[in-house]
Amino acid sequence: METALAKTPQKRQVMFLAILLLLWEAGSEAVRYSIPEETESGYSVANLAKDLGLGVGELATRGARMHYKGNKELLQLDIKTGNLLLYEKLDREVMCGATEPCILHFQLLLENPVQFFQTDLQLTDINDHSPEFPEREMLLKIPESTQPGTVFPLKIAQDFDIGSNTVQNYTISPNSHFHVAMHNRGDGRKYPELVLDKALDREERPELSLTLTALDGGAPPRSGTTTVRIVVLDNNDNAPEFLQSLYEVQVPENSPLNSLVVVVSARDLDAGAYGSVAYALFQGDEVTQPFVIDEKTGEIRLKRALDFEATPYYNVEIVATDGGGLSGKCTVAIEVVDVNDNAPEITMSTLSSPTPENAPETVVAVFSVSDPDSGDNGRMMCSIKNDLPFLLKPTLKNFYALATQRTLDRESQAEYNITITVTDLGTPRLKTEHNITVLVSDVNDNAPAFTQTSYTLFVRENNSPALHIGSVSATDRDSGTNAQVTYSLLPSQDPHLPLASLVSINADNGHLFALRSLDYEALQAFEFRVGATDRGSPALSSEALVRVLVLDANDNSPFVLYPLQNGSAPCTELVPRAAEPGYLVTKVVAVDGDSGQNAWLSYQLLKATEPGLFSVWAHNGEVRTARLLSERDAAKHRLVVLVKDNGEPPRSATATLHVLLVDGFSQPYLPLPEAAPAQAQADSLTVYLVVALASVSSLFLFSVLLFVAVGLCRRSRAAPVGRCSVPEVPFPGHLVDVSGTGTLSQSYQYEVCLTGDSGAGEFKFLKPIIPNLLPQGAGEEIGKTAAFRNSLGLN
């Protein structure tokens, strides 16, 4: 059922678009009706369905409604009968002002499928306004010397009706001196002038009061009256005359208040008070005239803001009156110049949301635009951003349809905030923006996706049953039921793995539980696959691999490999007293049968014969000297090193070291040969050393003495006495290896020579050089010699 419902709006959208395109190509003709203004609301204008050839039931099924600028409801469509009814009483003067004919444009909008019909309603004028003069009394000062036939302008009456219903005639009360003459203005209106038929005599009658009547052409006619009071003045034989009878000016509608519009000028040939001219607006209607004139200078200025859209032009009559009461008149034709002061307007007619994803081209909104300005100021362009998958298509005049340009993908973007921008072509350009939100409905087109393709979970051995060991998680980019995910264990590919008795999974949240206690020694790791399935139709699924690693517990203590702690004779480490601080004594080596942090070992010095003399590096177990050694330090030292793992709780073991301090035999760095004579001191024990060495290894000493003798013979010829040099005879340059039992981190070899001036034939041990292979048995002999010296207490 959901699929069928989803396809129905889709078909409607396609039909809607097709009809819009046909309308755009073919256009449409307007249906026009006419009614008198002030017709009562509810009046049946016409049967619109019949005139358009539409069935009555078709209006309801296709969602017919009337559309007017600004969505103001003036006409109401009865979709049951097809009658077009007047929603409220319409006043032609309010709707159109002086514009003739007064035509209101409506659109009939059928939404399913979309179709437009243009409907025009013309309001005809009725005679519902009477002529009105701007003043209750007009004052004319006429010299008695005025000749018959002289014309005096009179102010016109205002009538808001148009055509024959406006002012058609003026009459004046019967008298023997004046009659009224009628004339037509440039805008088609008629104005009266008072014509003198018989000369006035101030002495006979200094003042006259006449009634001026304005009649319109209605049936029956309406009228308005004003009083014309005539004061007869003494002789003034020159009336003011304007330099121009017509002034034409253009004023932008955005002109500031009090700005100068134009300057009019009149002259009077009389002298004195009769030649002084005063200016005034002839009509003097401050309500309708947005201008004011300076009575002395004739400057016409703006006193109220102009609006081209309300009144595009003004005809202002200016009268100049001298001190004797004579006057002249001119006309100022003011054209209001349109400026781009109205931004375009957008009226949204319909909006379809949400729009299903993966649907073909679909209409999502229909709207109209308008701009009350004129010319380029009223021409408009409509646009949206180019990076949106939508486009605008024009239909009827100033109507647009917003449609999808391609199929939408809800997972990429679930909603679109579309800004429709309407810009006019005026200077400066004005624009209006309207934001609409288009929602995209979901289709089950995405399978659940695990956050990882494989999961590795860890559980410590001897765990409690039903222990939560981890979770898997899958997400579905769809929404609603299409995104609801359930989890399950997939059948194991290993037939020997009892998966059902090892783990279980929560179908709702993907939590995994160990069903029984695990043994690291029996099962160190196993793996299986889990599935995630959504609840869409049809359902989509995916799977992921889960690997479970069993962690070992800390059940093994560290085991010391070196030095051996098996109760055998302890290994003694030899350290020269000349060793520098940080000298490597030995290295404690230990292992731990556990894994991970349970096998991370750290070392520390637990006990020492002399604290502060030795230190143990915590991470590698190296035992080094902490300071320089002195003669006062004991020769033998016992160190206890604690080896501890990082388990919880930690386990530990101890290693005992025996260190023996010796004098100058195993020193890694000795003075250079050139410095040997300066550092050598006579030692009476050297002779005993040579004798002892000869007794232990006569063969070795004999060989050494032989090479020394040959070297001394050559040195006596080639070098001064006291210098140690390498003999030129085939002296092998023996290097003594004292690495011995491995107390040093690497093997050291020393070059041996005898001083030329030493009668006792003592040895001088020089700096270590690059290791070479010793003659077979040489290392053993040196070791025996060192042991013999220690037994005698010589070192």
Side-chain angles (χ1 to χ4, degrees), residues 167 183 214 250 261 292 297 316 332 351 375 409 452 496 508 625 632 644 726 729:
V167 176
H183 298 281
Q250 292 182 333
V261 177
V292 64
T297 63
V316 181
V332 179
L351 179 67
D409 184 11
Q452 302 172 213
H496 303 291
D508 296 327
T625 58
R632 292 177 294 179
K644 183 173 61 175
V726 179
V729 297

Side-chain angles (χ1 to χ4, degrees), residues 358-377:
N358 302 330
E361 188 172 309
T362 306
V363 175
V364 297
V366 176
F367 60 93
S368 63
V369 296
S370 60
D371 193 322
D373 292 322
S374 63
D376 288 340
N377 297 334

Side-chain angles (χ1 to χ4, degrees), residues 246-256 259-263 291 300 302 306 308 311-315 332-339:
L246 176 65
Y247 292 83
E248 295 179 344
V249 294
Q250 292 182 333
V251 182
E253 64 173 325
N254 61 347
S255 299
S259 60
L260 179 64
V261 177
V262 70
V263 179
F291 307 101
I300 300 177
L302 188 65
L306 301 177
F308 171 84
T311 306
Y313 60 87
Y314 293 89
N315 281 322
V332 179
I334 301 175
E335 179 184 357
V336 181
V337 179
D338 182 37
V339 297

Side-chain angles (χ1 to χ4, degrees), residues 147-292:
Q147 295 298 318
T150 303
V151 177
F152 302 93
L154 299 174
K155 298 179 181 180
I156 66 173
Q158 297 288 339
D159 193 336
F160 292 105
D161 295 324
I162 61 174
S164 61
N165 292 329
T166 192
V167 176
Q168 300 295 323
N169 192 23
Y170 290 90
T171 62
I172 199 165
S173 57
N175 66 93
S176 60
H177 291 279
F178 299 92
H179 76 274
V180 173
M182 297 286 298
H183 298 281
N184 292 325
R185 286 176 38 167
D187 57 358
R189 291 191 293 176
K190 297 179 179 181
Y191 66 92
E193 288 183 338
L194 190 64
V195 181
L196 181 63
D197 295 330
K198 179 182 176 181
L200 299 173
D201 186 359
R202 190 189 66 81
E203 288 73 21
E204 178 183 350
R205 193 173 181 180
E207 185 172 320
L208 291 84
S209 182
L210 305 176
T211 300
L212 179 64
T213 302
L215 296 171
D216 62 21
R222 292 174 175 264
S223 64
T225 61
T226 186
T227 299
V228 179
R229 187 164 67 92
I230 301 172
V231 177
V232 182
L233 303 178
D234 237 353
N235 191 21
N236 180 21
D237 55 356
N238 287 287
E241 293 182 0
F242 282 92
L243 300 180
Q244 296 177 227
S245 60
L246 176 65
Y247 292 83
E248 295 179 344
V249 294
Q250 292 182 333
V251 182
E253 64 173 325
N254 61 347
S255 299
L257 299 181
N258 202 39
S259 60
L260 179 64
V261 177
V262 70
V263 179
V264 296
S265 178
R267 62 182 180 178
D268 194 314
L269 299 178
D270 292 325
Y274 291 140
S276 178
V277 177
Y279 301 95
L281 296 177
F282 185 64
Q283 292 295 330
D285 187 0
E286 296 183 358
V287 177
T288 59
Q289 297 289 348
F291 307 101
V292 64

